[in-house]
Amino acid sequence: MSLELTAPAPEEPSVAADGTWLECIACGAQFAPFEDVRYTCDDCDGLLEVRYASPPTWDDFEGRGVWRYNAALPFEEGVSLPEGATPLHEVPRLEADVGVETLRVKHEGMNPTGSFKDRGMTVGVRVAKELGVGRLACASTGNTSAALAAYGARGGMETLVLLPAGKVAAGKIAQASLHDARILEVDGNFDSCLDIVQDLAARGEAYLLNSLNPFRLEGQKTIGLEILEEFHEDYGSYPDRIVLPVGNAGNTSALYKAFRELVQSGALDVDDVPKLTGVQAEGAAPMVEAIENGWDETRRWDDVETRATAIRIGNPVNAPKALPGIRETDGTAVAVSDEEITAAQRDLAAEGVGVEPASAASVAGLRKLRAEGVVDADEQVVCLTTGHLLKDPDAAFEAGDDPEPVPNDTEAVLEHLAE
């Protein structure tokens, strides 16, 4: 199945249900969407994508939030809290400092559990109910577990999360714990956790809701749809570039799929598709390595380390979908240091936008690419920030200013402020 941006709309196969089916991106095999549980291709183990006989146009959307875009989704409604409709912030001082014509920040930390993962879970948990599964499961660096636990609770379903021991921010573990998920801390990294969850899913012990699950990415497509709609409403055009953090590469894949479907329906001209630009931490950058070397696939990094815990991933499962997305849109990928990430986190905070470290990678990457001349001064750019500041309060405290002790006296406080 071609992932080219200009590929025509697919023809509906006999296995489709209400114009929806699953298709392998590697060999083109097609499957009914809800008859059996499957995450990868039965024939070649390739990644699956959800296909639609009638890709939507802008006129098909109404309402608010993720389910405004139900014409681009497999159901009319899902298990909802609700989610979506996140702000597209103006950041004028940061815009001027970076040196681009327009800079907006799409803050996904304003979703119900504080990250973009909620968009995928509202669809994924709805699919789980359609399939009649009992237990939901995920591997997580934190945000996925928080979202799955909340949406599993909302749907009245048992939830199991596997986390790398000692590698997940406390705020995220607290969310999963309070929403009554069963939390298993694995002596390994995120990729090890995902290996185990995939094995459990293959044995029928749980329904996997990591972004390997193609239905997760359907919800995440709506990030791109919201960006395009709101940006066009404000400027009468679409952004030249969207810069986003990359961990498992689910958002890169999802946004590219959203744009392809809009091109297929005629709602978006190929020349108006934004350049997808991925940013990774230097200590966990297999996607950047693949882009820089012209590889068709990533090579697994077994040893990964960065303070941006949400993107501390060495084997991005959605790379086969994301690499074409970056290349077909004439985008790129860049790695940034933890110090650059922290500086960008502070820059965003100075504009009143509070994000966790991984979110700030997008701004750090934009600044680096602008300095290198890869991004031009006349570009209109949207940076995606994926999680809220309170997801990792320890990191926020380390990046911020220290409290200043003062005596219990008004005059002493005034004297201190004057110094």
Tab-separated table of all heavy atoms in Angstrom, residues 391-419:
chain	number	residue	atom	x	y	z
A	391	LYS	N	2.776	17.253	34.474
A	391	LYS	CA	3.105	15.854	34.245
A	391	LYS	C	4.430	15.487	34.902
A	391	LYS	O	4.646	14.346	35.297
A	391	LYS	CB	3.194	15.575	32.743
A	391	LYS	CG	1.867	15.527	32.028
A	391	LYS	CD	1.112	14.272	32.398
A	391	LYS	CE	-0.080	14.050	31.512
A	391	LYS	NZ	-0.684	12.730	31.736
A	392	ASP	N	5.346	16.442	34.964
A	392	ASP	CA	6.677	16.197	35.525
A	392	ASP	C	7.081	17.386	36.391
A	392	ASP	O	7.923	18.211	36.007
A	392	ASP	CB	7.690	15.986	34.393
A	392	ASP	CG	8.999	15.374	34.878
A	392	ASP	OD1	9.251	15.420	36.089
A	392	ASP	OD2	9.766	14.863	34.037
A	393	PRO	N	6.466	17.505	37.580
A	393	PRO	CA	6.739	18.676	38.426
A	393	PRO	C	8.194	18.770	38.883
A	393	PRO	O	8.712	19.858	39.085
A	393	PRO	CB	5.782	18.488	39.616
A	393	PRO	CG	5.417	17.030	39.602
A	393	PRO	CD	5.466	16.602	38.172
A	394	ASP	N	8.859	17.622	39.042
A	394	ASP	CA	10.267	17.664	39.457
A	394	ASP	C	11.121	18.350	38.388
A	394	ASP	O	11.994	19.168	38.700
A	394	ASP	CB	10.789	16.251	39.719
A	394	ASP	CG	10.167	15.613	40.950
A	394	ASP	OD1	9.675	16.370	41.814
A	394	ASP	OD2	10.150	14.373	41.035
A	395	ALA	N	10.868	18.013	37.126
A	395	ALA	CA	11.614	18.650	36.034
A	395	ALA	C	11.307	20.131	35.959
A	395	ALA	O	12.192	20.948	35.673
A	395	ALA	CB	11.280	17.965	34.710
A	396	ALA	N	10.049	20.473	36.203
A	396	ALA	CA	9.664	21.888	36.177
A	396	ALA	C	10.380	22.659	37.278
A	396	ALA	O	10.872	23.779	37.057
A	396	ALA	CB	8.155	22.017	36.338
A	397	PHE	N	10.468	22.049	38.441
A	397	PHE	CA	11.141	22.709	39.562
A	397	PHE	C	12.623	22.902	39.258
A	397	PHE	O	13.201	23.963	39.529
A	397	PHE	CB	10.973	21.889	40.841
A	397	PHE	CG	11.495	22.557	42.072
A	397	PHE	CD1	10.738	23.523	42.722
A	397	PHE	CD2	12.741	22.247	42.578
A	397	PHE	CE1	11.219	24.158	43.860
A	397	PHE	CE2	13.237	22.878	43.708
A	397	PHE	CZ	12.471	23.833	44.353
A	398	GLU	N	13.249	21.888	38.652
A	398	GLU	CA	14.671	21.989	38.308
A	398	GLU	C	14.917	23.059	37.249
A	398	GLU	O	15.947	23.732	37.268
A	398	GLU	CB	15.168	20.635	37.804
A	398	GLU	CG	15.250	19.570	38.886
A	398	GLU	CD	15.646	18.221	38.322
A	398	GLU	OE1	16.079	18.171	37.151
A	398	GLU	OE2	15.523	17.220	39.046
A	399	ALA	N	13.966	23.210	36.317
A	399	ALA	CA	14.137	24.191	35.243
A	399	ALA	C	13.818	25.606	35.694
A	399	ALA	O	14.271	26.577	35.085
A	399	ALA	CB	13.243	23.829	34.050
A	400	GLY	N	13.034	25.724	36.759
A	400	GLY	CA	12.569	27.031	37.195
A	400	GLY	C	13.488	27.708	38.193
A	400	GLY	O	14.603	27.255	38.461
A	401	ASP	N	13.020	28.823	38.730
A	401	ASP	CA	13.794	29.602	39.694
A	401	ASP	C	13.604	29.044	41.100
A	401	ASP	O	12.541	28.529	41.454
A	401	ASP	CB	13.339	31.068	39.669
A	401	ASP	CG	13.582	31.704	38.309
A	401	ASP	OD1	14.585	31.353	37.672
A	401	ASP	OD2	12.758	32.543	37.898
A	402	ASP	N	14.629	29.169	41.924
A	402	ASP	CA	14.551	28.698	43.309
A	402	ASP	C	13.765	29.681	44.170
A	402	ASP	O	13.856	30.908	43.982
A	402	ASP	CB	15.956	28.542	43.895
A	402	ASP	CG	16.736	27.423	43.229
A	402	ASP	OD1	16.088	26.465	42.758
A	402	ASP	OD2	17.977	27.515	43.171
A	403	PRO	N	12.999	29.198	45.153
A	403	PRO	CA	12.336	30.100	46.116
A	403	PRO	C	13.370	30.896	46.907
A	403	PRO	O	14.496	30.430	47.135
A	403	PRO	CB	11.580	29.120	47.031
A	403	PRO	CG	11.453	27.858	46.255
A	403	PRO	CD	12.674	27.777	45.390
A	404	GLU	N	12.991	32.095	47.302
A	404	GLU	CA	13.893	32.974	48.044
A	404	GLU	C	13.358	33.153	49.469
A	404	GLU	O	12.273	33.696	49.671
A	404	GLU	CB	13.972	34.342	47.360
A	404	GLU	CG	14.417	34.268	45.904
A	404	GLU	CD	14.275	35.604	45.191
A	404	GLU	OE1	14.621	36.643	45.804
A	404	GLU	OE2	13.785	35.609	44.037
A	405	PRO	N	14.074	32.688	50.477
A	405	PRO	CA	13.611	32.843	51.858
A	405	PRO	C	13.677	34.301	52.309
A	405	PRO	O	14.630	35.017	51.996
A	405	PRO	CB	14.592	31.971	52.651
A	405	PRO	CG	15.818	31.905	51.802
A	405	PRO	CD	15.346	31.960	50.378
A	406	VAL	N	12.635	34.731	53.021
A	406	VAL	CA	12.585	36.096	53.558
A	406	VAL	C	12.022	36.042	54.979
A	406	VAL	O	11.319	35.096	55.351
A	406	VAL	CB	11.696	37.017	52.692
A	406	VAL	CG1	12.296	37.212	51.311
A	406	VAL	CG2	10.272	36.474	52.583
A	407	PRO	N	12.312	37.054	55.797
A	407	PRO	CA	11.749	37.110	57.155
A	407	PRO	C	10.230	37.304	57.116
A	407	PRO	O	9.653	37.724	56.103
A	407	PRO	CB	12.437	38.328	57.780
A	407	PRO	CG	13.670	38.540	56.947
A	407	PRO	CD	13.290	38.119	55.570
A	408	ASN	N	9.606	37.040	58.252
A	408	ASN	CA	8.154	37.184	58.396
A	408	ASN	C	7.821	38.638	58.747
A	408	ASN	O	7.355	38.959	59.846
A	408	ASN	CB	7.662	36.227	59.485
A	408	ASN	CG	6.154	36.282	59.649
A	408	ASN	OD1	5.440	36.783	58.778
A	408	ASN	ND2	5.661	35.787	60.789
A	409	ASP	N	8.050	39.539	57.757
A	409	ASP	CA	7.882	40.957	58.023
A	409	ASP	C	7.741	41.700	56.690
A	409	ASP	O	8.554	41.499	55.784
A	409	ASP	CB	9.104	41.487	58.794
A	409	ASP	CG	9.009	42.973	59.069
A	409	ASP	OD1	8.280	43.361	59.990
A	409	ASP	OD2	9.680	43.726	58.317
A	410	THR	N	6.732	42.551	56.597
A	410	THR	CA	6.472	43.249	55.338
A	410	THR	C	7.637	44.137	54.926
A	410	THR	O	8.036	44.166	53.747
A	410	THR	CB	5.198	44.107	55.457
A	410	THR	OG1	4.104	43.259	55.790
A	410	THR	CG2	4.900	44.810	54.139
A	411	GLU	N	8.202	44.878	55.870
A	411	GLU	CA	9.319	45.774	55.543
A	411	GLU	C	10.524	44.979	55.042
A	411	GLU	O	11.211	45.386	54.102
A	411	GLU	CB	9.710	46.608	56.768
A	411	GLU	CG	8.647	47.612	57.195
A	411	GLU	CD	8.279	48.576	56.078
A	411	GLU	OE1	9.205	48.993	55.323
A	411	GLU	OE2	7.089	48.890	55.924
A	412	ALA	N	10.731	43.816	55.643
A	412	ALA	CA	11.854	42.979	55.209
A	412	ALA	C	11.616	42.436	53.803
A	412	ALA	O	12.561	42.329	53.011
A	412	ALA	CB	12.049	41.824	56.194
A	413	VAL	N	10.357	42.123	53.502
A	413	VAL	CA	10.022	41.650	52.150
A	413	VAL	C	10.286	42.753	51.134
A	413	VAL	O	10.880	42.524	50.068
A	413	VAL	CB	8.551	41.178	52.081
A	413	VAL	CG1	8.112	40.971	50.635
A	413	VAL	CG2	8.361	39.900	52.883
A	414	LEU	N	9.861	43.983	51.451
A	414	LEU	CA	10.082	45.102	50.543
A	414	LEU	C	11.564	45.386	50.354
A	414	LEU	O	12.032	45.693	49.254
A	414	LEU	CB	9.377	46.353	51.072
A	414	LEU	CG	7.829	46.327	51.006
A	414	LEU	CD1	7.250	47.524	51.759
A	414	LEU	CD2	7.381	46.326	49.547
A	415	GLU	N	12.321	45.288	51.436
A	415	GLU	CA	13.741	45.505	51.357
A	415	GLU	C	14.413	44.443	50.474
A	415	GLU	O	15.288	44.745	49.650
A	415	GLU	CB	14.346	45.456	52.764
A	415	GLU	CG	15.846	45.737	52.805
A	415	GLU	CD	16.389	45.752	54.231
A	415	GLU	OE1	15.613	46.086	55.145
A	415	GLU	OE2	17.570	45.401	54.391
A	416	HIS	N	13.946	43.195	50.616
A	416	HIS	CA	14.487	42.116	49.813
A	416	HIS	C	14.183	42.326	48.320
A	416	HIS	O	15.048	42.114	47.468
A	416	HIS	CB	13.891	40.769	50.277
A	416	HIS	CG	14.399	39.578	49.531
A	416	HIS	ND1	15.599	38.962	49.801
A	416	HIS	CD2	13.858	38.915	48.459
A	416	HIS	CE1	15.784	37.952	48.948
A	416	HIS	NE2	14.738	37.907	48.128
A	417	LEU	N	12.961	42.753	48.023
A	417	LEU	CA	12.566	42.989	46.627
A	417	LEU	C	13.355	44.131	45.999
A	417	LEU	O	13.598	44.123	44.786
A	417	LEU	CB	11.072	43.306	46.558
A	417	LEU	CG	10.120	42.138	46.874
A	417	LEU	CD1	8.670	42.655	46.914
A	417	LEU	CD2	10.261	41.022	45.850
A	418	ALA	N	13.778	45.087	46.819
A	418	ALA	CA	14.515	46.243	46.301
A	418	ALA	C	15.966	45.929	46.012
A	418	ALA	O	16.656	46.681	45.311
A	418	ALA	CB	14.404	47.406	47.284
A	419	GLU	N	16.465	44.841	46.572
A	419	GLU	CA	17.890	44.526	46.399
A	419	GLU	C	18.200	44.097	44.987
A	419	GLU	O	17.496	43.303	44.410
A	419	GLU	CB	18.292	43.412	47.385
A	419	GLU	CG	18.282	43.876	48.837
A	419	GLU	CD	18.616	42.739	49.797
A	419	GLU	OE1	18.737	41.575	49.318
A	419	GLU	OE2	18.738	42.998	50.997
